[in-house]
Amino acid sequence: MTRRHVFQVSLTLLVLLGLSAQPALAKPPQMHIMEGFLPPLWAALWFAVALPFWVIGIVQIQRLTREKPEARLLLGLAGAFAFVLSALKLPSVTGSCSHPTGTGLGAILFGPFISSVLGGIVLLFQALLLAHGGLTTLGANAVSMGIVGPIAGWLVWRGLRSRLNEGVVVFLAAALANLLTYVVTSGQLAVAHPDPAGGVAASFAKFGAIFALTQIPLAISEGLLTVLIFRALRQNAPAELRALGVQEA
Amino acid sequence: MGLQIDAFAYANRLSRLHPAYKAGCSLLALCACLVLDRPLASVIVLVLMLALTTVWAGVPWRAVAKLLFAEGSFLLAGVLGIALTVSPSPTPGSVSVGGMWVGVSAQSLAQAVAVFLRALGSVAALNFLALTTPVPDLLEWLRRLRVPEVLVELMGLIYRFTFVLLDSLGHMTLAHEVRLGFASQRATLRSAALIGANLFIQAFRRSQRLEVALRSRAWNGSLRVLPWQDAPRPQR
Amino acid sequence: MKLTFRDVHVAYPGRETPALIGVNIEIAAGQRVALVGRNGSGKSTLILTANGILRPQQGAVMLDGQPVQYDRRGLAALRRCVGVVFQDPDDQLFTANVYQDLSLGPLNLGLSQAEARQRVLQAAEQCGLSHLLDRPTHSLSGGEKARAAIAGVLAMTPRFLFVDELLHHLDPWVRREVLRLLCDLASAGCAVVLATHDWALVRTWAQHVIWLEAGRIFRQGHPSAVLTGPECPDLEGAPC
């Protein structure tokens, strides 16, 4: 490419970016990696990382539904809940809801393995029904949104619940899950598309900076949202929470 | 809130076609995009899949274009990270940001364009599958591919309950809207939390009511139903 | 065939006041029965008890004079005969399409796939759903969902059909269709028990009324004998 080409293509990209600014601002990029964005090798690698979680999760679900056949209905509704949360109307600065609230609740209720299966299914349906994410990138998205994020949230919840105020713990769990999701996704993009001059580290900084615009406010508001949801649940549905095995702090 | 893509999946000329053909078509195109990884190949796949979706399946081109445009704008933000280069020393046309030089190089730009086109072609291939294939057909196909039964069953339940909960969500959102629940940012956050919590409670209670309803139909623990491909398909 | 409650007491665990107290009823084949009473008077409890979801602490539910056995086999036998249609069809329709949902009951009864398919087609025909069998559940209208919920139970060919306030969300036209379906069923020999708040309907449709108040039978008998006096809310005249 000559200098002139570079200029022309840059200009075209800028114009396209301007054109798309309207919808893009109304709905800031979610942390889904789009279909086709990862080279085959990386796509396969992330599937391989997710696979053990899914296998253990499926075995656990099989055991659970054998012991309690009605549990599959609750699992089904929990998955649907995680999917539907992304359609929740949120303050405009943060755009659409991401996953940690839904999958995080799943992790608290069913543990990280089963919730990784639920997360995988929800991601598949988001690709097929909402055109968010994709099939070849499902593994990578499942690792960042269905495994790492929820596990981080779950660990915070388990580790700090007895030591700190419950509201603070829930906020930390949800916000951290969100931030980790964002860090992992940036990392996944960086290793797949390293910067020609600065390498993976520079690329990580670039993707991180681009997504930071939306993801840091999102992490905070999602943390607040989860706290409020949790508080409402404690007030309005203590019996249900107890039945689900969420004990009093 | 309806799901437009889902509605098209049932109402296109290919909706009755065996899902293996459509999934095969889509996955083949996806692989071509990813493995060949040439801008030309990506553009050919893009055009081909758009043609299949609009001409063969008869999905309105406006809907297809709108979807692709939304996805393209998501992609652009991602591609931005590839187009920009960061280096410790100044390159032609770069600006200094916090001690590093951020700019655009011919190489990075070419790569960005290639990734953009590759992703756009892949997205078009995925859209073809999503817009032409009803989810129950896909699930039946997965079942025959020996995907664990418990997983297929769970997917079916999640798919069905998604629409039930979307309905509830719509009603609750409206109920907050008419009471000025979204009048300010603060109110929006509060409403969102109340709706989210309520939705969760509703989902839980519904799972209990569903259990009762299933038991009343002599349910013995397995959700066995007739295979979907034997269903009568009246011509409309 | 007869379904009998003899001195049935039902209490929910953890609640002080029982939900049904000393209920005696008898429902005969082909009868059109209306179940009325305030919210919380025990209508739904009665329906769940008839189907064996709830087990009486005292008294007995009997099919043709034989007390129901609350083991796997006995409950299957009871549910083969007694079907329930719930208030919200979305609580009952659990598959993504109508065809598969209708097949759940027949397969649970141990029928072969071919027999089950036959039952599904028959029930769909009966409820006017034949053209909707391949439609996704979420695209159905309220009336279609209601009919699908009924068909899911009819596919099990019950002898007693309990319908719990299904009509309330339906517009008068669809309601009429559903009522006609219920009338046809009764003429074909299936007893239909309809829990409802629509007294005008009860007066014209029912052959027998069961009126519950706070878990007890307040009155029962023919509507012309039962639905009289100052206790009837619809006889009070215009509210303003």
Side-chain angles (χ1 to χ4, degrees):
Chain A
M1 257 194 231
T2 63
R3 291 284 288 274
R4 207 164 129 229
H5 278 125
V6 172
F7 176 73
Q8 281 171 345
V9 176
S10 307
L11 200 68
T12 321
L13 271 179
L14 271 177
V15 170
L16 276 174
L17 200 63
L19 269 178
S20 63
Q22 191 60 35
L25 284 181
K27 243 192 187 171
Q30 296 201 324
M31 289 317 291
H32 292 91
I33 300 179
M34 295 292 283
E35 183 64 88
F37 211 83
L38 293 180
L41 217 59
W42 284 110
L45 179 91
W46 294 114
F47 268 106
V49 173
L51 201 63
F53 288 88
W54 286 340
V55 170
I56 297 175
I58 289 172
V59 170
Q60 284 186 350
I61 291 174
Q62 257 159 350
R63 197 182 312 141
L64 182 67
T65 53
R66 213 176 308 127
E67 284 162 14
K68 281 170 47 185
E70 68 275 13
R72 65 191 86 199
L73 298 171
L74 188 61
L75 285 174
L77 276 155
F81 176 74
F83 181 100
V84 169
L85 263 196
S86 62
L88 193 64
K89 211 167 166 175
L90 277 185
S92 57
V93 274
T94 61
S96 52
C97 191
S98 60
H99 296 269
T101 311
T103 46
L105 263 171
I108 289 176
L109 296 179
F110 306 111
F113 295 105
I114 290 183
S115 83
S116 79
V117 176
L118 291 181
I121 298 176
V122 169
L123 283 168
L124 176 67
F125 282 150
Q126 287 190 317
L128 289 175
L129 300 175
L130 300 175
H132 290 166
L135 299 181
T136 60
T137 53
L138 186 71
N141 286 328
V143 168
S144 68
M145 281 185 270
I147 296 173
V148 174
I151 286 184
W154 184 69
L155 286 177
V156 171
W157 163 257
R158 291 289 286 250
L160 296 179
R161 187 166 46 140
S162 52
R163 274 172 247 172
L164 286 173
N165 172 302
E166 186 177 84
V168 178
V169 178
V170 172
F171 176 82
L172 286 178
L176 192 78
N178 217 317
L179 281 177
L180 264 182
T181 299
Y182 143 70
V183 171
V184 171
T185 308
S186 302
Q188 286 169 333
L189 291 172
V191 290
H193 300 288
D195 189 274
V200 172
S203 186
F204 179 71
K206 286 186 305 194
F207 285 112
I210 290 169
F211 286 119
L213 287 178
T214 55
Q215 289 307 308
I216 288 171
L218 185 59
I220 293 169
S221 76
E222 184 132 342
L224 287 176
L225 178 75
T226 314
V227 171
L228 292 178
I229 287 184
F230 215 79
R231 194 180 294 162
L233 284 176
R234 273 258 183 267
Q235 266 170 16
N236 302 336
E240 277 84 354
L241 282 189
R242 235 173 289 126
L244 287 168
V246 181
Q247 303 304 326
E248 298 291 329
Chain B
M1 191 194 123
L3 295 177
Q4 250 203 332
I5 298 180
D6 182 69
F8 282 121
Y10 289 96
N12 67 83
R13 269 185 246 139
L14 298 184
S15 64
R16 302 280 172 89
L17 190 68
H18 194 286
Y21 296 116
K22 291 176 280 191
C25 219
S26 175
L27 293 179
L28 211 66
L30 260 178
C31 287
C33 256
L34 288 178
V35 175
L36 295 177
D37 196 14
R38 299 262 156 72
L40 184 65
S42 302
V43 171
I44 290 173
V45 168
L46 175 65
V47 172
L48 194 68
M49 291 322 279
L50 287 180
L52 284 183
T53 317
T54 51
V55 180
W56 193 26
V59 180
W61 66 267
R62 254 173 200 288
V64 179
K66 218 173 117 189
L67 194 59
L68 196 71
F69 187 74
E71 289 164 324
S73 59
F74 278 131
L75 276 175
L76 271 182
V79 159
L80 201 64
I82 301 176
L84 296 177
T85 55
V86 181
S87 63
S89 53
T91 49
S94 64
V95 280
S96 161
V97 178
M100 297 293 271
W101 293 86
V102 177
V104 177
S105 76
Q107 190 198 356
S108 71
L109 206 57
Q111 201 197 343
V113 171
V115 171
F116 181 73
L117 289 176
R118 185 180 80 195
L120 211 60
S122 312
V123 156
L126 172 65
N127 288 356
F128 168 73
L129 181 66
L131 286 166
T132 58
T133 315
V135 167
D137 288 7
L138 271 183
L139 296 186
E140 194 67 34
W141 184 58
L142 289 180
R143 183 172 276 136
R144 263 180 293 157
L145 291 180
R146 311 256 161 201
V147 173
E149 177 59 32
V150 72
L151 192 62
V152 179
E153 182 188 284
L154 189 56
M155 287 161 92
L157 289 175
I158 291 180
Y159 177 71
R160 164 78 189 116
F161 296 156
T162 291
F163 292 94
V164 176
L165 289 189
L166 271 178
D167 247 13
S168 303
L169 178 70
H171 292 311
M172 285 193 276
T173 307
L174 198 62
H176 277 263
E177 191 97 61
V178 297
R179 287 177 291 163
L180 297 179
F182 301 105
S184 66
Q185 300 282 356
R186 227 188 138 88
T188 304
L189 185 66
R190 220 176 65 95
S191 295
L194 283 175
I195 291 172
N198 261 335
L199 196 66
F200 183 78
I201 298 169
Q202 275 199 8
F204 177 69
R205 295 200 179 137
R206 200 176 281 282
S207 80
Q208 293 179 316
R209 291 199 301 269
L210 272 156
E211 187 203 332
V212 167
L214 285 178
R215 274 166 58 198
S216 82
R217 289 204 273 166
W219 179 45
N220 46 25
S222 80
L223 291 176
R224 215 154 60 85
V225 291
L226 285 176
W228 172 225
Q229 78 263 24
D230 297 342
R233 314 239 166 156
Q235 292 301 316
R236 266 189 293 274
Chain C
M1 212 172 195
K2 273 192 170 65
L3 180 71
T4 319
F5 278 44
R6 187 187 291 158
D7 191 33
V8 167
H9 292 251
V10 178
Y12 288 100
R15 265 188 248 166
E16 269 183 31
T17 45
L20 287 182
I21 307 162
V23 169
N24 286 295
I25 56 174
E26 186 172 287
I27 297 161
Q31 214 175 9
R32 295 194 300 268
V33 181
L35 193 54
V36 300
R38 293 168 203 274
N39 288 332
S41 62
K43 298 191 295 298
S44 296
T45 309
L46 190 147
I47 291 175
L48 293 180
T49 310
N51 180 265
I53 301 279
L54 295 174
R55 184 177 179 169
Q57 279 82 29
Q58 197 185 317
V61 177
M62 296 185 290
L63 257 182
D64 271 344
Q66 296 294 316
V68 170
Q69 299 299 311
Y70 287 87
D71 53 20
R72 213 185 157 95
R73 214 142 152 230
L75 283 175
L78 177 67
R79 286 168 187 162
R80 185 190 298 269
C81 293
V82 180
V84 181
V85 181
F86 291 88
Q87 195 167 354
D88 182 355
D90 279 335
D91 286 343
Q92 196 168 330
L93 304 170
F94 74 99
T95 63
N97 54 73
V98 180
Y99 175 75
Q100 289 187 311
D101 190 88
L102 301 198
S103 71
L104 176 86
L107 289 175
N108 283 346
L109 293 180
L111 298 180
S112 72
Q113 292 212 344
E115 287 170 308
R117 186 166 193 273
Q118 199 51 43
R119 290 277 191 97
V120 168
L121 298 183
Q122 209 177 324
E125 177 75 42
Q126 232 175 328
C127 300
L129 288 170
S130 298
H131 61 296
L132 299 175
L133 279 177
D134 65 332
R135 283 267 293 275
T137 314
H138 56 263
S139 74
L140 301 183
S141 69
E144 289 164 347
K145 273 187 190 167
R147 281 184 290 158
I150 296 176
V153 178
L154 290 190
M156 301 172 73
T157 59
R159 309 300 301 152
F160 300 89
L161 181 69
F162 286 75
V163 182
D164 195 355
E165 304 189 16
L166 180 69
L167 303 170
H168 290 186
H169 308 293
L170 304 181
D171 67 47
W173 293 271
V174 173
R175 221 172 91 104
R176 190 155 179 86
E177 264 173 57
V178 173
L179 277 171
R180 188 167 297 147
L181 173 65
L182 295 181
C183 283
D184 291 348
L185 275 175
S187 328
C190 172
V192 178
V193 181
L194 181 63
T196 181
H197 294 309
D198 183 343
W199 286 53
L201 172 73
V202 173
R203 285 174 194 284
T204 56
W205 178 83
Q207 295 166 324
H208 186 83
V209 177
I210 300 170
W211 183 343
L212 288 168
E213 286 277 357
R216 295 173 201 273
I217 303 260
F218 177 58
R219 289 173 185 173
Q220 64 173 327
H222 194 270
S224 61
V226 171
L227 304 182
T228 53
E231 294 91 350
C232 291
D234 61 333
L235 295 179
E236 272 181 3
C240 55

